[in-house]
Amino acid sequence: MAMITTQRSVSGSSQNPKSPSAPFLFVSVTDPVKLGNGVQAYISYRVITKTNLPEYQGPEKIVIRRYSDFVWLRDRLFERYKGIFIPPIPEKSAVEKFRFSAEFIEMRRQALDIFVNRIASHPQLQKSEELRTFLQVEEETMEAARSQETGIFKKKPSDLMQIFKDVQNKVSDVVLGKEKPVEESNPEYEKLKHYIFELEDHLAEAQKHAFRLVKRHRELGQSLSDFGKAIKLLGACEGQSLGKAFSELGAKSEMLSSKLQKEAHNLLMNFEEPLKDYVRAVQSIKATIAERASAFRQQCELAETIKLKEINLDRLMLTRSDRVGEAELEYKELKAESEEATQRFETIVRLMNEEIVRFQEQKTYDMGFTFHEFAKGQAKLANDIAAAWRSLLPKLEACSSSHA
């Protein structure tokens, strides 16, 4: 199957290909709507898929999905595709009063759009049965799929989220060698682990300061708004020329306040949130590293067990024991299991090597775009502020010179 042709924006949304005959898969998460009341309330989203792929039901499909459906997709892919960095989804809001604020809902929608489009543009994940199910089946079927899980998916959603939290909590110990099982000694692997842990620290620090920058813009915007109102009232007490100048000063302050609040929102959505998304992405990579460490240990443990079985089998054959046949069968079964474990580990290593290249390429593009937009927005805001104050200078100077 040909790779899906997509043109990706920093938001993660795929764009229609230039050539209509090329294979494409375009997905958008839109129209968040609050349903239900109280603790049972939730947000539903319209997920629109446009594609010319033959394995899909038609050129366009619209389904309604809720947050737990996106969690289902992420969990199923994480369980099935070992070695692949499964894109992260946004965490649930821990603060009840923010769950249904317009800003939080939009942040969640944007993050879920990025999540599903990363899957849709991934060479392996885009072909998954799980993605096709998520994008095509009706709500009742989707609900049934969530309720008829096997293995770890029989657990409640809260239990399943705890599983992933436990994995995250153990990752540092396993990867950094605080636990002392058999450790993989590979210079490239050590370099990868060091890079990922450093990247997480730096991204988290950058995201923390982006949060502070958003907060500062909002506070400055609020201060300018308050100042504008106060200076207008002051102008009403003054004479005509000074009063008019003060009134214009107040109006400019309120106008700039609006610009600062708008830029604060842009910074939140297009600067802080992308940084936070990459923090989550690195945590997803760490979960894959933990899977690799576990697969390596299993492979080594089985290899050691086989050696013991070989010694035992030789002893039984020398003594012509009647347990030789049973021991041979156990040895063959164990050897097959060991070969399967080795193959599983080697597959994880191969996929991770491919994944880190893709991750770094995408990160370079996304971070470049994000910081370019940040600088452009700040430059425009600075120009607007300078132009607004500059336009007032002649009038204020006229007032001061007339009273000199």
Side-chain angles (χ1 to χ4, degrees), residues 77-333:
L77 293 174
F78 181 83
E79 181 65 17
R80 181 178 171 190
Y81 289 90
K82 302 298 184 185
I84 289 178
F85 302 157
I86 306 303
I89 58 172
E91 59 279 351
K92 280 197 169 185
S93 174
V95 185
E96 183 66 26
K97 67 178 180 178
F98 293 140
R99 278 182 63 210
F100 299 113
S101 70
E103 190 168 77
F104 177 80
I105 290 170
E106 176 54 23
M107 283 194 297
R108 169 67 59 80
R109 185 210 63 75
Q110 177 176 287
L112 293 175
D113 185 87
I114 292 170
F115 163 73
V116 76
N117 274 284
R118 280 182 176 154
I119 295 169
S121 63
H122 191 283
Q124 280 83 41
L125 301 181
Q126 67 186 202
K127 303 171 188 175
S128 67
E129 180 185 343
E130 290 81 2
L131 179 61
R132 288 198 301 274
T133 296
F134 176 84
L135 293 178
Q136 294 188 109
V137 303
E138 299 304 323
E139 290 75 71
E140 296 80 5
T141 309
M142 189 76 239
E143 187 176 350
R146 289 202 318 271
S147 63
Q148 294 175 357
E149 299 293 1
T150 58
I152 67 166
F153 299 109
K154 283 184 178 177
K155 296 178 179 288
K156 295 177 183 177
S158 58
D159 295 335
L160 192 55
M161 293 304 288
Q162 189 60 48
I163 288 173
F164 282 93
K165 285 179 183 175
D166 291 342
V167 168
Q168 285 294 316
N169 291 336
K170 292 175 183 175
V171 164
S172 296
D173 289 343
V174 172
V175 173
L176 294 177
K178 291 177 183 176
E179 293 182 4
K180 291 295 179 185
V182 180
E183 290 293 327
E184 182 184 351
S185 57
N186 179 319
E188 287 300 312
Y189 180 49
E190 292 300 321
K191 186 178 175 182
L192 169 63
K193 290 190 292 184
H194 181 72
Y195 165 71
I196 290 301
F197 275 82
E198 268 208 333
L199 180 62
E200 182 181 34
D201 288 342
H202 297 326
L203 283 169
E205 187 70 12
Q207 188 259 316
K208 180 175 74 176
H209 289 292
F211 170 81
R212 290 176 178 171
L213 196 58
V214 171
K215 185 180 178 184
R216 196 189 80 177
H217 275 62
R218 283 182 167 159
E219 288 172 346
L220 182 55
Q222 186 58 52
S223 295
L224 270 173
S225 176
D226 294 341
F227 172 73
K229 290 182 176 67
I231 210 70
K232 276 183 174 181
L233 291 172
L234 180 60
C237 301
E238 299 294 335
Q240 187 174 358
S241 61
L242 188 60
K244 187 176 180 183
F246 278 8
S247 178
E248 288 192 30
L249 178 60
K252 291 285 184 187
S253 298
E254 290 179 333
M255 181 270 289
L256 290 175
S257 167
S258 177
K259 285 184 178 293
L260 276 160
Q261 296 290 4
K262 184 179 178 182
E263 182 57 22
H265 180 73
N266 288 337
L267 280 174
L268 173 66
M269 302 303 294
N270 303 316
F271 188 57
E272 184 192 349
E273 278 301 303
L275 287 170
K276 190 185 293 184
D277 176 66
Y278 263 92
V279 172
R280 291 192 292 257
V282 169
Q283 290 168 350
S284 177
I285 294 173
K286 285 169 65 180
T288 304
I289 290 174
E291 291 285 328
R292 172 170 171 166
S294 176
F296 181 78
R297 286 199 307 276
Q298 186 180 24
Q299 173 193 244
C300 293
E301 288 165 3
L302 284 168
E304 288 298 316
T305 307
I306 282 176
K307 287 179 185 176
L308 295 174
K309 287 287 183 183
E310 283 177 345
I311 294 169
N312 184 53
L313 183 58
D314 289 342
R315 183 180 61 78
L316 291 173
M317 291 176 75
L318 282 172
T319 59
R320 297 183 180 182
S321 169
D322 56 2
R323 291 191 62 249
V324 169
E326 181 185 341
E328 283 181 335
L329 182 61
E330 285 179 1
Y331 175 76
K332 285 180 182 178
E333 289 175 349

Side-chain angles (χ1 to χ4, degrees), residues 3-145:
M3 185 177 291
I4 306 302
T5 304
T6 56
Q7 296 175 314
R8 291 172 53 77
S9 68
V10 72
S11 71
S13 295
S14 305
Q15 304 300 320
N16 284 317
K18 292 178 181 178
S19 169
S21 61
F24 70 91
L25 180 59
F26 172 82
V27 184
S28 55
V29 179
T30 65
D31 303 328
V33 175
K34 181 183 176 183
L35 299 172
N37 295 302
V39 294
Q40 300 298 322
Y42 65 94
I43 303 294
S44 73
Y45 305 88
R46 187 186 299 267
V47 179
I48 305 170
T49 304
K50 296 181 180 180
T51 185
N52 60 358
L53 298 176
E55 58 265 39
Y56 281 77
Q57 295 169 359
E60 180 171 313
K61 180 72 176 179
I62 300 175
V63 295
I64 303 300
R65 294 290 179 257
R66 54 189 294 182
Y67 178 76
S68 55
D69 296 323
F70 290 87
V71 173
W72 173 90
L73 177 60
R74 190 278 313 269
D75 292 350
R76 289 294 301 269
L77 293 174
F78 181 83
E79 181 65 17
R80 181 178 171 190
Y81 289 90
K82 302 298 184 185
I84 289 178
F85 302 157
I86 306 303
I89 58 172
E91 59 279 351
K92 280 197 169 185
S93 174
V95 185
E96 183 66 26
K97 67 178 180 178
F98 293 140
R99 278 182 63 210
F100 299 113
S101 70
E103 190 168 77
F104 177 80
I105 290 170
E106 176 54 23
M107 283 194 297
R108 169 67 59 80
R109 185 210 63 75
Q110 177 176 287
L112 293 175
D113 185 87
I114 292 170
F115 163 73
V116 76
N117 274 284
R118 280 182 176 154
I119 295 169
S121 63
H122 191 283
Q124 280 83 41
L125 301 181
Q126 67 186 202
K127 303 171 188 175
S128 67
E129 180 185 343
E130 290 81 2
L131 179 61
R132 288 198 301 274
T133 296
F134 176 84
L135 293 178
Q136 294 188 109
V137 303
E138 299 304 323
E139 290 75 71
E140 296 80 5
T141 309
M142 189 76 239
E143 187 176 350

